[in-house]
Amino acid sequence: MKLQKLLKEKFGYKNFRPNQEEIISAITEGSDVFAAMPTGGGKSICYQLPALVFEGVTIVVSPLVALMKDQVDEAVDNGIEAAFINSSLTSEEASAVYSDLYSGKLKLLYLSPERLALEGYYEKLQNLPISFFAVDEAHCLSEWGHDFRPDYLNLSKIKKYFPDTPVAAFTATATKQVQKDIIRILKLDKPLVVRASFNRPELFYRVERKEKVLLQIEAFIKDHAGQAGIIYRTSRKDVEKTAEYLKSRGIKALPYHAGLPQKTRIKNQDKFNRDKIDIICATIAFGMGINKLNVRFVIHGDLPRSMEGYYQETGRAGRDGVESHCLLLYSGGDMMKIQYHIDRMDDKKEKEKAEANLRRMSSFASVNVCRRKQLLEYFDEKGEDNCGLCDICTDAVERVNAQVDAQKIMSAILRTGELFGAAHIIDIVCGADTEKIRKHNHKELKTWGAGSDMSKSWWRGIIDDLIRQDAIIKDASQYNSLKLKPKGREILFGREAFYIIKKESQAVKASSALEFDAKNFDEDLLSELKAIRAELAGGRGIPPYIVFSDKTLKDMCIIKPLDNSAFLRVSGVGEHKLGLYGPAFIDGIRKYLGY
Ligand code: ADP
Ligand code: ZN
């Protein structure tokens, strides 16, 4: 009961999310904890709340400088004494933090793993009354994770210096292998192990064939005008190109990749965090540093390299629990590019891993199975057959039997000795009369002109799908000539079916099911409240979402509180924030209602 009271007082929430209470109770009873929870699952409260219950200070190990500042700002805004120490502080700032620390003023201290690796640092910490250690983003410990950081290995010393202090590890990545590594390296002692469901019910997944990628991206953004979104591209060049294009179309977008000067990167990320721009185009270098809650969509302009990466990147949408969209655009060409890199890898084990990842990813995009079910199965969870919130389950796609067309293409490949590339094979099937066709006497083939009723882009699509479904390959070592694989022969000889997924032309419209409660609240009031939030955030030098999340503002639009006790009923309003922000918002709502 005491825990729930603290939850409302400090964080403004009435009820715990799944698993939160169990984790918090275990920590306060002195247990070690391993918790895998999806992004947005509410991990921060799992260590911030026990920190308040204990005497002394809680150490939070967190990998990213940018994220740390945000988390500290957020805690302070909730009235929790928190600070961080990392390389971004001047020595005066750091000594101020140490002096607060030694005088017992702090409840939470965020540290980077590099700090702990400094000679003598653990010994220094031993003089402090440390209640427990929270290790955030704990998958950074594991070489199996997608974001291994050697500095994290140093955390194995925590138990050596603090054998009796609880350690709680948190991660949003939960393959079993990573879990095992974390428990082993941190030497967790009979930990409470919590694996939350990795389902993100607020995310709508959609995959489309990549045709004119920039136009597709633009169309999607126009359908989500004014909303915040991230666009991931594989190469820096494409990041730049996409950002430039969107800017030229009047969309507020900026690039982010490791090739930009650090100052520009920080500036661009900051503008995105503070709602000054809508779109950030980024390589996957962008992400861990993002704490923004109201990202409404994530677009992948290229096929990601692994399901794990895809899950993490799409996971940045909808952290406030509000419905959000994930669009993946991909083509057979993407697969070839990744394959090309894999072919050049030396380490055999790495190569096998990368290949398995690619197969899994392209199957995710091409097979006719609920996207959510596939993602959950990747994390060893069972999904339902119809989630109702992905393109497959909402009938935005239609499954078409394309076996005859596939046979036309593969017959042309086989009859020409598996020596030619896609363009020439398409010319044959379409019945073209090119120099090359004449030279090789390809008009004589039975398949010449067998597909002249369909367009070249149709045939290009069939070839892409054949590649994706592992029926044929493009042989990069032989001028990209197409060759049949065993599965292709099965299809060619009629022993196996071949389906393609045809998109409804306006697939995006299926989103209407998601337009959450749009009618239930007053849009004008919401913009008023957003303006008030922007002003308060600007005044305090913090991003708007730290003041209140969009979800909290929407709740405010529904409740329309006119006094303190009503204001406290709004989800996300705790006592400290009531004091900080209540007057401004209540005043705004009163004015709006004409009092
Ligand atoms: P994570 O670190 O797991 O990605 P956060 O800790 O940032 O997630 O939480 C995501 C959002 O959910 C935050 O806005 C947080 O305030 C909110 N939240 C956390 N716990 C609860 C709860 N019990 N009820 C409502 N909202 C919550
Ligand atoms: Zn589904």
Side-chain angles (χ1 to χ4, degrees):
M1 206 50 228
K2 188 173 162 229
L3 295 181
Q4 202 161 0
K5 194 163 154 270
L6 266 176
L7 180 69
K8 179 63 203 167
E9 247 173 55
K10 289 291 179 181
F11 302 95
Y13 301 125
K14 249 172 60 197
N15 298 304
F16 284 106
R17 292 245 180 94
N19 306 308
Q20 282 181 328
E21 196 167 11
E22 191 190 2
I23 294 169
I24 293 168
S25 304
I27 297 175
T28 55
E29 283 157 20
S31 271
D32 286 347
V33 170
F34 167 86
M37 290 164 91
T39 304
K43 285 184 282 293
S44 329
I45 285 180
C46 292
Y47 54 79
Q48 291 186 351
L49 204 150
L52 296 169
V53 174
F54 280 118
E55 303 278 313
V57 60
T58 296
I59 304 291
V60 183
V61 184
S62 168
L64 263 194
V65 177
L67 205 67
M68 234 183 246
K69 177 165 185 326
D70 250 28
Q71 286 171 329
V72 166
D73 284 347
E74 207 166 347
V76 170
D77 239 34
N78 280 326
I80 303 170
E81 304 291 347
F84 64 88
I85 291 186
N86 63 32
S87 53
S88 76
L89 296 185
T90 63
S91 58
E92 287 84 48
E93 287 168 329
S95 1
V97 173
Y98 282 120
S99 120
D100 282 350
L101 183 63
Y102 285 104
S103 66
K105 252 173 86 183
L106 294 181
K107 292 311 292 179
L108 281 173
L109 178 68
Y110 285 77
L111 285 180
S112 56
E114 294 85 356
R115 272 297 133 160
L116 286 168
L118 293 180
E119 183 70 32
Y121 209 84
Y122 280 108
E123 282 90 346
K124 197 160 142 182
L125 291 179
Q126 275 180 316
N127 300 323
L128 289 166
I130 290 179
S131 52
F132 73 100
F133 285 84
V135 178
D136 207 1
E137 314 286 354
H139 56 275
C140 295
L141 277 165
S142 169
E143 294 187 51
W144 289 89
H146 58 101
D147 203 16
F148 176 58
R149 282 160 190 258
D151 269 325
Y152 254 65
L153 292 178
N154 192 263
L155 303 182
S156 67
K157 294 201 194 122
I158 295 179
K159 281 287 183 184
K160 181 174 151 211
Y161 288 95
F162 298 89
D164 302 320
T165 308
V167 175
F170 297 91
T171 176
T173 315
T175 58
K176 291 269 167 68
Q177 181 66 45
V178 174
Q179 172 177 333
K180 254 172 48 197
D181 279 3
I182 292 173
I183 293 176
R184 177 177 54 85
I185 294 169
L186 289 178
K187 304 190 176 70
L188 300 186
D189 181 19
K190 294 188 220 78
L192 166 76
V193 173
V194 174
R195 290 177 63 89
S197 168
F198 274 68
N199 187 20
R200 297 283 313 274
E202 63 280 1
L203 298 186
F204 188 108
Y205 298 100
R206 171 186 312 290
V207 182
E208 277 178 24
R209 176 139 66 217
K210 182 151 97 180
E211 273 149 4
K212 298 216 158 64
V213 63
L214 295 181
L215 295 182
Q216 285 170 290
I217 291 174
E218 183 189 357
F220 185 92
I221 294 175
K222 294 245 155 102
D223 272 337
H224 294 80
Q227 298 182 352
I230 305 173
I231 301 168
Y232 285 106
R233 302 294 321 255
T234 303
S235 73
R236 294 174 188 183
K237 206 179 85 217
D238 282 335
V239 164
E240 294 282 348
K241 219 164 86 184
T242 309
E244 277 311 310
Y245 175 77
L246 294 177
K247 261 193 262 175
S248 78
R249 309 293 298 162
I251 293 165
K252 283 189 259 172
L254 284 173
Y256 186 103
H257 58 72
L260 292 170
Q262 194 190 7
K263 246 172 86 189
T264 314
R265 264 189 348 239
I266 293 177
K267 211 175 73 204
N268 291 359
Q269 166 161 336
D270 208 54
K271 281 191 174 160
F272 183 62
N273 271 340
R274 284 161 204 255
D275 298 342
K276 304 271 189 239
I277 55 165
D278 292 329
I279 309 287
I280 195 120
C281 299
T283 55
I284 51 173
F286 179 76
M288 290 269 294
I290 175 112
N291 205 15
K292 189 174 163 82
L293 292 168
N294 64 334
V295 175
R296 288 282 75 86
F297 59 86
V298 168
I299 301 176
H300 281 85
D302 309 286
L303 190 72
R305 275 157 203 263
S306 72
M307 292 280 270
E308 179 142 17
Y310 175 70
Y311 180 82
Q312 291 300 325
E313 285 137 32
T314 51
R316 306 208 160 101
R319 286 192 45 205
D320 51 8
V322 175
E323 290 82 347
S324 305
H325 288 260
C326 309
L327 172 68
L328 165 61
L329 300 169
Y330 90 121
S331 66
D334 286 351
M335 256 184 82
M336 302 310 302
K337 269 187 216 154
I338 300 176
Q339 187 66 51
Y340 178 88
H341 288 293
I342 293 176
D343 290 343
R344 271 150 199 77
M345 287 167 97
D346 291 327
D347 187 327
K348 195 161 162 262
K349 235 172 92 188
E350 286 294 306
K351 197 166 172 161
E352 275 166 18
K353 221 164 88 185
E355 233 150 27
N357 279 336
L358 174 60
R359 265 201 305 280
R360 191 97 191 215
M361 195 64 229
S362 63
S363 144
F364 168 82
S366 58
V367 304
N368 192 20
V369 173
C370 168
R371 317 274 185 207
R372 187 178 313 275
K373 185 177 157 85
Q374 294 190 68
L375 274 173
L376 290 177
E377 279 174 359
Y378 180 78
F379 291 112
D380 304 315
E381 250 184 80
K382 232 180 110 47
E384 291 163 36
D385 283 336
N386 186 326
C387 76
L389 272 182
C390 75
D391 52 353
I392 302 277
C393 296
T394 50
D395 287 324
V397 298
E398 187 191 339
R399 207 165 167 238
V400 181
N401 184 343
Q403 187 163 22
V404 175
D405 285 347
Q407 286 167 336
K408 286 179 185 167
I409 290 285
M410 289 191 293
S411 159
I413 295 172
L414 212 56
R415 283 164 195 273
T416 52
E418 302 186 306
L419 291 170
F420 296 91
H424 186 66
I425 297 294
I426 292 172
D427 278 345
I428 294 175
V429 174
C430 290
D433 188 15
T434 65
E435 199 49 47
K436 200 166 169 182
I437 291 215
R438 284 191 214 166
K439 189 171 137 206
H440 293 282
N441 269 333
H442 282 164
K443 271 196 192 179
E444 307 299 314
L445 296 172
K446 223 176 96 190
T447 37
W448 183 82
S452 54
D453 53 330
M454 300 301 274
S455 69
K456 282 196 175 182
S457 73
W458 169 259
W459 294 111
R460 172 73 58 184
I462 296 285
I463 289 178
D464 275 355
D465 260 295
L466 283 167
I467 293 174
R468 278 194 294 258
Q469 297 190 32
D470 212 27
I472 62 176
I473 52 161
K474 211 187 254 182
D475 187 348
S477 66
Q478 271 196 8
Y479 313 105
N480 283 332
S481 58
L482 300 176
K483 298 197 158 58
L484 265 63
K485 294 189 77 174
K487 187 172 170 194
R489 290 179 191 269
E490 294 299 294
I491 296 168
L492 179 61
F493 299 118
R495 290 191 291 262
E496 201 171 306
F498 178 70
Y499 285 96
I500 58 170
I501 290 168
K502 199 170 120 197
K503 303 284 171 186
E504 214 182 74
S505 52
Q506 272 180 305
V508 196
K509 75 172 188 249
S511 63
S512 57
L514 274 179
E515 297 310 338
F516 69 100
D517 300 338
K519 282 123 224 126
N520 288 345
F521 63 82
D522 187 334
E523 287 286 346
D524 291 337
L525 176 56
L526 184 64
S527 4
E528 290 286 322
L529 298 184
K530 279 190 178 167
I532 295 173
R533 176 175 69 176
E535 193 156 315
L536 290 169
R540 295 170 64 82
I542 53 177
Y545 59 79
I546 289 187
V547 173
F548 284 129
S549 70
D550 283 8
K551 203 164 182 170
T552 295
L553 293 192
K554 276 163 192 161
D555 208 33
M556 228 178 268
C557 289
I558 292 166
I559 297 181
K560 299 196 178 71
L562 296 173
D563 56 33
N564 285 357
S565 71
F567 198 73
L568 263 179
R569 284 212 313 278
V570 175
S571 172
V573 178
E575 281 176 2
H576 195 250
K577 284 194 175 174
L578 169 69
L580 281 179
Y581 306 128
F585 282 99
I586 292 173
D587 192 45
I589 294 168
R590 283 185 163 273
K591 281 205 185 103
Y592 180 82
L593 294 177
Y595 281 97

mmCIF file of all heavy atoms in Angstrom, residues 443-463:
data_model
loop_
_atom_site.group_PDB
_atom_site.id
_atom_site.type_symbol
_atom_site.label_atom_id
_atom_site.label_comp_id
_atom_site.label_asym_id
_atom_site.label_seq_id
_atom_site.Cartn_x
_atom_site.Cartn_y
_atom_site.Cartn_z
ATOM 1 N N LYS A 443 14.538 -15.041 -79.017
ATOM 2 C CA LYS A 443 13.154 -15.027 -79.499
ATOM 3 C C LYS A 443 12.633 -16.447 -79.710
ATOM 4 O O LYS A 443 11.438 -16.696 -79.747
ATOM 5 C CB LYS A 443 13.078 -14.280 -80.833
ATOM 6 C CG LYS A 443 12.857 -12.798 -80.678
ATOM 7 C CD LYS A 443 12.416 -12.232 -82.015
ATOM 8 C CE LYS A 443 12.456 -10.721 -81.983
ATOM 9 N NZ LYS A 443 12.057 -10.164 -83.279
ATOM 10 N N GLU A 444 13.581 -17.359 -79.852
ATOM 11 C CA GLU A 444 13.200 -18.754 -80.092
ATOM 12 C C GLU A 444 12.635 -19.442 -78.843
ATOM 13 O O GLU A 444 12.006 -20.483 -78.927
ATOM 14 C CB GLU A 444 14.435 -19.575 -80.546
ATOM 15 C CG GLU A 444 15.168 -18.979 -81.729
ATOM 16 C CD GLU A 444 14.264 -18.886 -82.957
ATOM 17 O OE1 GLU A 444 13.583 -19.888 -83.229
ATOM 18 O OE2 GLU A 444 14.225 -17.810 -83.592
ATOM 19 N N LEU A 445 12.909 -18.823 -77.697
ATOM 20 C CA LEU A 445 12.484 -19.480 -76.450
ATOM 21 C C LEU A 445 10.964 -19.504 -76.316
ATOM 22 O O LEU A 445 10.284 -18.570 -76.728
ATOM 23 C CB LEU A 445 13.058 -18.724 -75.234
ATOM 24 C CG LEU A 445 14.573 -18.715 -75.101
ATOM 25 C CD1 LEU A 445 14.983 -17.770 -73.969
ATOM 26 C CD2 LEU A 445 15.078 -20.130 -74.822
ATOM 27 N N LYS A 446 10.486 -20.553 -75.678
ATOM 28 C CA LYS A 446 9.044 -20.683 -75.496
ATOM 29 C C LYS A 446 8.487 -19.564 -74.608
ATOM 30 O O LYS A 446 7.345 -19.144 -74.748
ATOM 31 C CB LYS A 446 8.753 -22.043 -74.825
ATOM 32 C CG LYS A 446 7.566 -22.766 -75.440
ATOM 33 C CD LYS A 446 7.396 -24.130 -74.799
ATOM 34 C CE LYS A 446 6.362 -24.063 -73.697
ATOM 35 N NZ LYS A 446 6.321 -25.277 -72.884
ATOM 36 N N THR A 447 9.320 -19.101 -73.704
ATOM 37 C CA THR A 447 8.850 -18.079 -72.782
ATOM 38 C C THR A 447 8.972 -16.664 -73.338
ATOM 39 O O THR A 447 8.539 -15.717 -72.701
ATOM 40 C CB THR A 447 9.649 -18.133 -71.460
ATOM 41 O OG1 THR A 447 10.991 -18.443 -71.780
ATOM 42 C CG2 THR A 447 9.076 -19.163 -70.528
ATOM 43 N N TRP A 448 9.580 -16.526 -74.524
ATOM 44 C CA TRP A 448 9.716 -15.159 -75.061
ATOM 45 C C TRP A 448 8.313 -14.592 -75.297
ATOM 46 O O TRP A 448 7.485 -15.206 -75.998
ATOM 47 C CB TRP A 448 10.524 -15.174 -76.367
ATOM 48 C CG TRP A 448 10.750 -13.781 -76.913
ATOM 49 C CD1 TRP A 448 11.716 -12.902 -76.523
ATOM 50 C CD2 TRP A 448 9.988 -13.121 -77.933
ATOM 51 N NE1 TRP A 448 11.617 -11.733 -77.219
ATOM 52 C CE2 TRP A 448 10.545 -11.831 -78.093
ATOM 53 C CE3 TRP A 448 8.879 -13.487 -78.708
ATOM 54 C CZ2 TRP A 448 10.053 -10.904 -79.010
ATOM 55 C CZ3 TRP A 448 8.385 -12.556 -79.622
ATOM 56 C CH2 TRP A 448 8.972 -11.277 -79.761
ATOM 57 N N GLY A 449 8.044 -13.452 -74.664
ATOM 58 C CA GLY A 449 6.753 -12.806 -74.856
ATOM 59 C C GLY A 449 5.605 -13.441 -74.076
ATOM 60 O O GLY A 449 4.458 -12.988 -74.182
ATOM 61 N N ALA A 450 5.911 -14.448 -73.260
ATOM 62 C CA ALA A 450 4.832 -15.134 -72.536
ATOM 63 C C ALA A 450 4.163 -14.221 -71.502
ATOM 64 O O ALA A 450 3.061 -14.501 -71.042
ATOM 65 C CB ALA A 450 5.370 -16.381 -71.836
ATOM 66 N N GLY A 451 4.841 -13.113 -71.174
ATOM 67 C CA GLY A 451 4.276 -12.233 -70.155
ATOM 68 C C GLY A 451 4.078 -10.817 -70.665
ATOM 69 O O GLY A 451 4.142 -9.866 -69.894
ATOM 70 N N SER A 452 3.830 -10.674 -71.962
ATOM 71 C CA SER A 452 3.737 -9.318 -72.513
ATOM 72 C C SER A 452 2.473 -8.594 -72.042
ATOM 73 O O SER A 452 2.321 -7.398 -72.255
ATOM 74 C CB SER A 452 3.773 -9.372 -74.043
ATOM 75 O OG SER A 452 2.762 -10.244 -74.490
ATOM 76 N N ASP A 453 1.589 -9.310 -71.392
ATOM 77 C CA ASP A 453 0.373 -8.653 -70.890
ATOM 78 C C ASP A 453 0.611 -7.877 -69.596
ATOM 79 O O ASP A 453 -0.247 -7.117 -69.166
ATOM 80 C CB ASP A 453 -0.720 -9.710 -70.671
ATOM 81 C CG ASP A 453 -0.234 -10.861 -69.787
ATOM 82 O OD1 ASP A 453 0.991 -11.154 -69.826
ATOM 83 O OD2 ASP A 453 -1.049 -11.444 -69.054
ATOM 84 N N MET A 454 1.757 -8.087 -68.962
ATOM 85 C CA MET A 454 2.011 -7.374 -67.708
ATOM 86 C C MET A 454 3.190 -6.414 -67.885
ATOM 87 O O MET A 454 4.020 -6.585 -68.763
ATOM 88 C CB MET A 454 2.343 -8.369 -66.584
ATOM 89 C CG MET A 454 1.242 -9.382 -66.269
ATOM 90 S SD MET A 454 -0.310 -8.607 -65.773
ATOM 91 C CE MET A 454 -0.035 -8.381 -64.026
ATOM 92 N N SER A 455 3.254 -5.423 -66.953
ATOM 93 C CA SER A 455 4.298 -4.405 -67.085
ATOM 94 C C SER A 455 5.642 -4.919 -66.577
ATOM 95 O O SER A 455 5.712 -5.890 -65.828
ATOM 96 C CB SER A 455 3.912 -3.178 -66.255
ATOM 97 O OG SER A 455 3.997 -3.517 -64.880
ATOM 98 N N LYS A 456 6.667 -4.190 -66.982
ATOM 99 C CA LYS A 456 8.009 -4.564 -66.509
ATOM 100 C C LYS A 456 8.102 -4.490 -64.990
ATOM 101 O O LYS A 456 8.769 -5.299 -64.356
ATOM 102 C CB LYS A 456 9.054 -3.634 -67.120
ATOM 103 C CG LYS A 456 9.374 -4.000 -68.538
ATOM 104 C CD LYS A 456 10.662 -3.328 -68.987
ATOM 105 C CE LYS A 456 10.999 -3.829 -70.389
ATOM 106 N NZ LYS A 456 12.236 -3.282 -70.918
ATOM 107 N N SER A 457 7.436 -3.501 -64.413
ATOM 108 C CA SER A 457 7.584 -3.377 -62.960
ATOM 109 C C SER A 457 6.884 -4.545 -62.246
ATOM 110 O O SER A 457 7.302 -4.968 -61.174
ATOM 111 C CB SER A 457 7.085 -2.025 -62.461
ATOM 112 O OG SER A 457 5.692 -1.971 -62.503
ATOM 113 N N TRP A 458 5.828 -5.073 -62.866
ATOM 114 C CA TRP A 458 5.203 -6.289 -62.316
ATOM 115 C C TRP A 458 6.221 -7.418 -62.259
ATOM 116 O O TRP A 458 6.397 -8.097 -61.254
ATOM 117 C CB TRP A 458 3.998 -6.680 -63.157
ATOM 118 C CG TRP A 458 3.453 -8.050 -62.834
ATOM 119 C CD1 TRP A 458 3.666 -9.197 -63.533
ATOM 120 C CD2 TRP A 458 2.624 -8.414 -61.726
ATOM 121 N NE1 TRP A 458 3.028 -10.257 -62.944
ATOM 122 C CE2 TRP A 458 2.372 -9.812 -61.826
ATOM 123 C CE3 TRP A 458 2.059 -7.705 -60.651
ATOM 124 C CZ2 TRP A 458 1.578 -10.499 -60.899
ATOM 125 C CZ3 TRP A 458 1.282 -8.397 -59.733
ATOM 126 C CH2 TRP A 458 1.049 -9.776 -59.856
ATOM 127 N N TRP A 459 6.927 -7.610 -63.393
ATOM 128 C CA TRP A 459 7.889 -8.714 -63.441
ATOM 129 C C TRP A 459 9.064 -8.483 -62.492
ATOM 130 O O TRP A 459 9.577 -9.396 -61.872
ATOM 131 C CB TRP A 459 8.380 -8.933 -64.881
ATOM 132 C CG TRP A 459 7.246 -9.415 -65.743
ATOM 133 C CD1 TRP A 459 6.628 -8.735 -66.744
ATOM 134 C CD2 TRP A 459 6.569 -10.677 -65.626
ATOM 135 N NE1 TRP A 459 5.602 -9.484 -67.265
ATOM 136 C CE2 TRP A 459 5.532 -10.683 -66.601
ATOM 137 C CE3 TRP A 459 6.703 -11.782 -64.790
ATOM 138 C CZ2 TRP A 459 4.671 -11.764 -66.760
ATOM 139 C CZ3 TRP A 459 5.851 -12.859 -64.944
ATOM 140 C CH2 TRP A 459 4.841 -12.858 -65.924
ATOM 141 N N ARG A 460 9.448 -7.213 -62.370
ATOM 142 C CA ARG A 460 10.512 -6.873 -61.419
ATOM 143 C C ARG A 460 10.076 -7.289 -60.009
ATOM 144 O O ARG A 460 10.841 -7.862 -59.237
ATOM 145 C CB ARG A 460 10.762 -5.362 -61.516
ATOM 146 C CG ARG A 460 11.687 -4.748 -60.495
ATOM 147 C CD ARG A 460 13.130 -5.063 -60.697
ATOM 148 N NE ARG A 460 13.642 -4.644 -61.992
ATOM 149 C CZ ARG A 460 14.892 -4.903 -62.395
ATOM 150 N NH1 ARG A 460 15.727 -5.551 -61.599
ATOM 151 N NH2 ARG A 460 15.298 -4.515 -63.578
ATOM 152 N N GLY A 461 8.802 -7.022 -59.717
ATOM 153 C CA GLY A 461 8.259 -7.384 -58.402
ATOM 154 C C GLY A 461 8.270 -8.894 -58.177
ATOM 155 O O GLY A 461 8.596 -9.371 -57.095
ATOM 156 N N ILE A 462 7.927 -9.648 -59.237
ATOM 157 C CA ILE A 462 7.929 -11.113 -59.102
ATOM 158 C C ILE A 462 9.353 -11.604 -58.807
ATOM 159 O O ILE A 462 9.576 -12.435 -57.919
ATOM 160 C CB ILE A 462 7.415 -11.785 -60.402
ATOM 161 C CG1 ILE A 462 5.950 -11.414 -60.659
ATOM 162 C CG2 ILE A 462 7.609 -13.300 -60.356
ATOM 163 C CD1 ILE A 462 4.945 -12.118 -59.773
ATOM 164 N N ILE A 463 10.312 -11.031 -59.524
ATOM 165 C CA ILE A 463 11.704 -11.452 -59.294
ATOM 166 C C ILE A 463 12.133 -11.095 -57.868
ATOM 167 O O ILE A 463 12.719 -11.914 -57.150
ATOM 168 C CB ILE A 463 12.646 -10.813 -60.346
ATOM 169 C CG1 ILE A 463 12.390 -11.475 -61.703
ATOM 170 C CG2 ILE A 463 14.112 -10.957 -59.929
ATOM 171 C CD1 ILE A 463 13.204 -10.931 -62.852
#
